[in-house]
mmCIF file of all heavy atoms in Angstrom:
data_model
loop_
_atom_site.group_PDB
_atom_site.id
_atom_site.type_symbol
_atom_site.label_atom_id
_atom_site.label_comp_id
_atom_site.label_asym_id
_atom_site.label_seq_id
_atom_site.Cartn_x
_atom_site.Cartn_y
_atom_site.Cartn_z
ATOM 1 N N VAL N 202 108.661 91.873 135.121
ATOM 2 C CA VAL N 202 108.678 93.188 134.378
ATOM 3 C C VAL N 202 108.690 92.933 132.846
ATOM 4 O O VAL N 202 108.223 93.769 132.107
ATOM 5 C CB VAL N 202 109.848 94.030 134.815
ATOM 6 C CG1 VAL N 202 111.151 93.385 134.355
ATOM 7 C CG2 VAL N 202 109.756 95.439 134.252
ATOM 8 N N LEU N 204 106.828 91.157 131.240
ATOM 9 C CA LEU N 204 105.481 91.127 130.781
ATOM 10 C C LEU N 204 105.080 92.517 130.272
ATOM 11 O O LEU N 204 104.313 92.624 129.285
ATOM 12 C CB LEU N 204 104.531 90.723 131.900
ATOM 13 C CG LEU N 204 103.062 90.543 131.542
ATOM 14 C CD1 LEU N 204 102.906 89.509 130.438
ATOM 15 C CD2 LEU N 204 102.256 90.142 132.758
ATOM 16 N N ILE N 205 105.573 93.568 130.890
ATOM 17 C CA ILE N 205 105.293 94.884 130.438
ATOM 18 C C ILE N 205 105.947 95.147 129.091
ATOM 19 O O ILE N 205 105.398 95.667 128.167
ATOM 20 C CB ILE N 205 105.789 95.944 131.479
ATOM 21 C CG1 ILE N 205 105.130 95.689 132.816
ATOM 22 C CG2 ILE N 205 105.487 97.352 130.970
ATOM 23 C CD1 ILE N 205 105.709 96.594 133.933
ATOM 24 N N PHE N 206 107.210 94.701 128.962
ATOM 25 C CA PHE N 206 107.933 94.903 127.749
ATOM 26 C C PHE N 206 107.276 94.223 126.596
ATOM 27 O O PHE N 206 107.402 94.592 125.448
ATOM 28 C CB PHE N 206 109.361 94.380 127.921
ATOM 29 C CG PHE N 206 110.237 94.615 126.747
ATOM 30 C CD1 PHE N 206 110.491 95.878 126.257
ATOM 31 C CD2 PHE N 206 110.844 93.520 126.066
ATOM 32 C CE1 PHE N 206 111.301 96.111 125.161
ATOM 33 C CE2 PHE N 206 111.663 93.757 124.989
ATOM 34 C CZ PHE N 206 111.877 95.044 124.545
ATOM 35 N N SER N 208 104.145 94.026 125.933
ATOM 36 C CA SER N 208 102.898 94.662 125.500
ATOM 37 C C SER N 208 103.058 95.225 124.100
ATOM 38 O O SER N 208 104.056 95.852 123.784
ATOM 39 C CB SER N 208 102.481 95.777 126.465
ATOM 40 O OG SER N 208 103.391 96.838 126.398
ATOM 41 N N GLN N 377 118.033 97.453 128.822
ATOM 42 C CA GLN N 377 116.585 97.628 128.595
ATOM 43 C C GLN N 377 115.826 97.467 129.921
ATOM 44 O O GLN N 377 114.876 98.256 130.179
ATOM 45 C CB GLN N 377 116.072 96.600 127.573
ATOM 46 C CG GLN N 377 114.612 96.803 127.179
ATOM 47 C CD GLN N 377 113.667 96.152 128.168
ATOM 48 O OE1 GLN N 377 113.923 95.108 128.713
ATOM 49 N NE2 GLN N 377 112.532 96.812 128.398
ATOM 50 N N LEU N 378 116.200 96.554 130.741
ATOM 51 C CA LEU N 378 115.478 96.361 132.031
ATOM 52 C C LEU N 378 115.717 97.592 132.950
ATOM 53 O O LEU N 378 114.792 98.035 133.599
ATOM 54 C CB LEU N 378 115.986 95.093 132.728
ATOM 55 C CG LEU N 378 115.513 93.756 132.169
ATOM 56 C CD1 LEU N 378 116.064 92.608 132.966
ATOM 57 C CD2 LEU N 378 113.957 93.719 132.216
ATOM 58 N N ARG N 379 116.914 98.122 132.920
ATOM 59 C CA ARG N 379 117.176 99.342 133.734
ATOM 60 C C ARG N 379 116.257 100.474 133.262
ATOM 61 O O ARG N 379 115.680 101.204 134.049
ATOM 62 C CB ARG N 379 118.640 99.744 133.608
ATOM 63 C CG ARG N 379 119.642 98.776 134.177
ATOM 64 C CD ARG N 379 121.076 99.247 133.903
ATOM 65 N NE ARG N 379 121.984 98.123 133.969
ATOM 66 C CZ ARG N 379 123.111 98.094 133.287
ATOM 67 N NH1 ARG N 379 123.465 99.121 132.467
ATOM 68 N NH2 ARG N 379 123.923 97.040 133.392
ATOM 69 N N PHE N 380 116.189 100.674 131.972
ATOM 70 C CA PHE N 380 115.352 101.715 131.422
ATOM 71 C C PHE N 380 113.889 101.456 131.766
ATOM 72 O O PHE N 380 113.161 102.368 132.183
ATOM 73 C CB PHE N 380 115.487 101.776 129.870
ATOM 74 C CG PHE N 380 114.559 102.779 129.261
ATOM 75 C CD1 PHE N 380 114.806 104.126 129.371
ATOM 76 C CD2 PHE N 380 113.496 102.354 128.490
ATOM 77 C CE1 PHE N 380 113.976 105.079 128.734
ATOM 78 C CE2 PHE N 380 112.644 103.260 127.879
ATOM 79 C CZ PHE N 380 112.882 104.608 128.020
ATOM 80 N N GLN N 381 113.452 100.241 131.699
ATOM 81 C CA GLN N 381 112.050 99.911 131.978
ATOM 82 C C GLN N 381 111.741 100.086 133.446
ATOM 83 O O GLN N 381 110.628 100.623 133.758
ATOM 84 C CB GLN N 381 111.777 98.455 131.561
ATOM 85 C CG GLN N 381 110.304 98.112 131.599
ATOM 86 C CD GLN N 381 110.051 96.749 130.962
ATOM 87 O OE1 GLN N 381 110.463 96.510 129.879
ATOM 88 N NE2 GLN N 381 109.322 95.925 131.669
ATOM 89 N N PHE N 382 112.640 99.745 134.299
ATOM 90 C CA PHE N 382 112.410 100.021 135.732
ATOM 91 C C PHE N 382 112.341 101.537 136.001
ATOM 92 O O PHE N 382 111.575 101.983 136.813
ATOM 93 C CB PHE N 382 113.528 99.394 136.591
ATOM 94 C CG PHE N 382 113.327 97.931 136.870
ATOM 95 C CD1 PHE N 382 114.282 97.012 136.439
ATOM 96 C CD2 PHE N 382 112.179 97.457 137.484
ATOM 97 C CE1 PHE N 382 114.086 95.652 136.696
ATOM 98 C CE2 PHE N 382 111.993 96.127 137.733
ATOM 99 C CZ PHE N 382 112.968 95.209 137.327
ATOM 100 N N TYR N 383 113.153 102.265 135.279
ATOM 101 C CA TYR N 383 113.183 103.722 135.487
ATOM 102 C C TYR N 383 111.872 104.378 134.984
ATOM 103 O O TYR N 383 111.333 105.263 135.649
ATOM 104 C CB TYR N 383 114.409 104.316 134.752
ATOM 105 C CG TYR N 383 114.544 105.812 134.829
ATOM 106 C CD1 TYR N 383 114.536 106.444 136.071
ATOM 107 C CD2 TYR N 383 114.668 106.620 133.686
ATOM 108 C CE1 TYR N 383 114.680 107.829 136.160
ATOM 109 C CE2 TYR N 383 114.809 107.970 133.778
ATOM 110 C CZ TYR N 383 114.824 108.572 135.030
ATOM 111 O OH TYR N 383 114.941 109.925 135.114
ATOM 112 N N THR N 384 111.389 104.000 133.827
ATOM 113 C CA THR N 384 110.139 104.564 133.335
ATOM 114 C C THR N 384 108.963 104.100 134.137
ATOM 115 O O THR N 384 107.951 104.807 134.240
ATOM 116 C CB THR N 384 109.920 104.244 131.855
ATOM 117 O OG1 THR N 384 109.746 102.776 131.686
ATOM 118 C CG2 THR N 384 111.109 104.700 130.986
ATOM 119 N N ASN N 385 109.026 102.869 134.611
ATOM 120 C CA ASN N 385 107.982 102.338 135.517
ATOM 121 C C ASN N 385 106.590 102.399 134.872
ATOM 122 O O ASN N 385 105.575 102.599 135.583
ATOM 123 C CB ASN N 385 107.993 103.063 136.861
ATOM 124 C CG ASN N 385 107.263 102.326 137.924
ATOM 125 O OD1 ASN N 385 107.204 101.082 137.943
ATOM 126 N ND2 ASN N 385 106.662 103.029 138.879
ATOM 127 N N GLY N 386 106.532 102.268 133.588
ATOM 128 C CA GLY N 386 105.272 102.239 132.935
ATOM 129 C C GLY N 386 104.496 103.595 132.870
ATOM 130 O O GLY N 386 103.331 103.621 132.527
ATOM 131 N N ARG N 387 105.180 104.659 133.198
ATOM 132 C CA ARG N 387 104.488 105.942 133.244
ATOM 133 C C ARG N 387 104.242 106.527 131.852
ATOM 134 O O ARG N 387 105.221 106.818 131.137
ATOM 135 C CB ARG N 387 105.310 106.962 134.065
ATOM 136 C CG ARG N 387 105.348 106.660 135.567
ATOM 137 C CD ARG N 387 106.334 107.577 136.266
ATOM 138 N NE ARG N 387 107.689 107.217 135.959
ATOM 139 C CZ ARG N 387 108.735 108.031 136.174
ATOM 140 N NH1 ARG N 387 108.540 109.235 136.673
ATOM 141 N NH2 ARG N 387 109.949 107.624 135.883
ATOM 142 N N GLU N 388 103.012 106.694 131.470
ATOM 143 C CA GLU N 388 102.698 107.198 130.139
ATOM 144 C C GLU N 388 103.159 108.628 129.916
ATOM 145 O O GLU N 388 103.405 109.057 128.838
ATOM 146 C CB GLU N 388 101.192 107.070 129.895
ATOM 147 C CG GLU N 388 100.636 105.644 129.879
ATOM 148 C CD GLU N 388 101.182 104.835 128.693
ATOM 149 O OE1 GLU N 388 101.579 105.431 127.719
ATOM 150 O OE2 GLU N 388 101.191 103.613 128.806
ATOM 151 N N ASP N 389 103.276 109.375 130.990
ATOM 152 C CA ASP N 389 103.741 110.769 130.907
ATOM 153 C C ASP N 389 105.230 110.932 131.109
ATOM 154 O O ASP N 389 105.712 112.026 131.342
ATOM 155 C CB ASP N 389 102.973 111.623 131.909
ATOM 156 C CG ASP N 389 103.315 111.265 133.375
ATOM 157 O OD1 ASP N 389 103.892 110.172 133.597
ATOM 158 O OD2 ASP N 389 102.984 112.052 134.254
ATOM 159 N N PHE N 390 105.938 109.815 131.029
ATOM 160 C CA PHE N 390 107.370 109.829 131.340
ATOM 161 C C PHE N 390 108.120 110.903 130.606
ATOM 162 O O PHE N 390 108.919 111.662 131.206
ATOM 163 C CB PHE N 390 107.995 108.435 131.038
ATOM 164 C CG PHE N 390 109.457 108.356 131.267
ATOM 165 C CD1 PHE N 390 109.984 108.156 132.516
ATOM 166 C CD2 PHE N 390 110.347 108.470 130.213
ATOM 167 C CE1 PHE N 390 111.354 108.117 132.729
ATOM 168 C CE2 PHE N 390 111.752 108.459 130.380
ATOM 169 C CZ PHE N 390 112.229 108.270 131.698
ATOM 170 N N TRP N 391 107.973 110.997 129.303
ATOM 171 C CA TRP N 391 108.774 111.920 128.491
ATOM 172 C C TRP N 391 108.317 113.373 128.691
ATOM 173 O O TRP N 391 108.995 114.270 128.162
ATOM 174 C CB TRP N 391 108.747 111.512 127.013
ATOM 175 C CG TRP N 391 109.488 110.252 126.782
ATOM 176 C CD1 TRP N 391 108.987 109.070 126.361
ATOM 177 C CD2 TRP N 391 110.907 110.046 126.952
ATOM 178 N NE1 TRP N 391 109.984 108.127 126.254
ATOM 179 C CE2 TRP N 391 111.154 108.703 126.607
ATOM 180 C CE3 TRP N 391 111.941 110.853 127.381
ATOM 181 C CZ2 TRP N 391 112.466 108.164 126.659
ATOM 182 C CZ3 TRP N 391 113.236 110.311 127.430
ATOM 183 C CH2 TRP N 391 113.461 108.969 127.083
ATOM 184 N N GLN N 435 107.795 108.177 121.681
ATOM 185 C CA GLN N 435 107.196 108.209 123.043
ATOM 186 C C GLN N 435 107.378 106.853 123.734
ATOM 187 O O GLN N 435 106.749 106.625 124.763
ATOM 188 C CB GLN N 435 105.746 108.596 122.969
ATOM 189 C CG GLN N 435 105.493 109.954 122.309
ATOM 190 C CD GLN N 435 106.274 111.057 122.916
ATOM 191 O OE1 GLN N 435 106.320 111.228 124.144
ATOM 192 N NE2 GLN N 435 106.958 111.847 122.103
ATOM 193 N N ASP N 436 108.155 105.976 123.197
ATOM 194 C CA ASP N 436 108.339 104.623 123.740
ATOM 195 C C ASP N 436 108.899 104.720 125.155
ATOM 196 O O ASP N 436 109.861 105.423 125.408
ATOM 197 C CB ASP N 436 109.332 103.858 122.832
ATOM 198 C CG ASP N 436 109.229 102.355 123.018
ATOM 199 O OD1 ASP N 436 108.894 101.902 124.111
ATOM 200 O OD2 ASP N 436 109.509 101.613 122.034
ATOM 201 N N ILE N 437 108.247 103.989 126.080
ATOM 202 C CA ILE N 437 108.715 103.898 127.458
ATOM 203 C C ILE N 437 109.239 102.530 127.800
ATOM 204 O O ILE N 437 109.466 102.223 128.959
ATOM 205 C CB ILE N 437 107.680 104.367 128.474
ATOM 206 C CG1 ILE N 437 106.392 103.510 128.319
ATOM 207 C CG2 ILE N 437 107.351 105.854 128.333
ATOM 208 C CD1 ILE N 437 105.339 103.797 129.408
ATOM 209 N N GLN N 438 109.397 101.696 126.775
ATOM 210 C CA GLN N 438 109.974 100.359 127.009
ATOM 211 C C GLN N 438 111.336 100.241 126.344
ATOM 212 O O GLN N 438 112.142 99.379 126.760
ATOM 213 C CB GLN N 438 108.998 99.303 126.445
ATOM 214 C CG GLN N 438 107.688 99.334 127.202
ATOM 215 C CD GLN N 438 106.707 98.317 126.694
ATOM 216 O OE1 GLN N 438 107.121 97.163 126.403
ATOM 217 N NE2 GLN N 438 105.463 98.643 126.542
ATOM 218 N N VAL N 439 111.584 100.999 125.365
ATOM 219 C CA VAL N 439 112.887 101.035 124.646
ATOM 220 C C VAL N 439 113.353 102.469 124.567
ATOM 221 O O VAL N 439 112.584 103.345 124.069
ATOM 222 C CB VAL N 439 112.773 100.442 123.230
ATOM 223 C CG1 VAL N 439 114.055 100.649 122.443
ATOM 224 C CG2 VAL N 439 112.413 98.957 123.284
ATOM 225 N N HIS N 468 105.531 102.496 122.086
ATOM 226 C CA HIS N 468 106.115 101.187 121.750
ATOM 227 C C HIS N 468 105.344 100.489 120.655
ATOM 228 O O HIS N 468 105.899 99.687 119.926
ATOM 229 C CB HIS N 468 106.143 100.324 123.030
ATOM 230 C CG HIS N 468 106.995 99.080 122.882
ATOM 231 N ND1 HIS N 468 108.351 99.151 122.645
ATOM 232 C CD2 HIS N 468 106.673 97.761 122.978
ATOM 233 C CE1 HIS N 468 108.830 97.894 122.597
ATOM 234 N NE2 HIS N 468 107.856 97.057 122.769
#
Side-chain angles (χ1 to χ4, degrees):
V202 68
L204 184 59
I205 303 173
F206 183 59
S208 66
Q377 185 278 323
L378 286 179
R379 294 176 203 151
F380 176 73
Q381 188 170 311
F382 278 120
Y383 179 53
T384 64
N385 197 31
R387 289 173 288 164
E388 295 295 336
D389 64 346
F390 176 81
W391 290 115
Q435 303 305 311
D436 199 330
I437 57 173
Q438 298 180 41
V439 172
H468 193 62

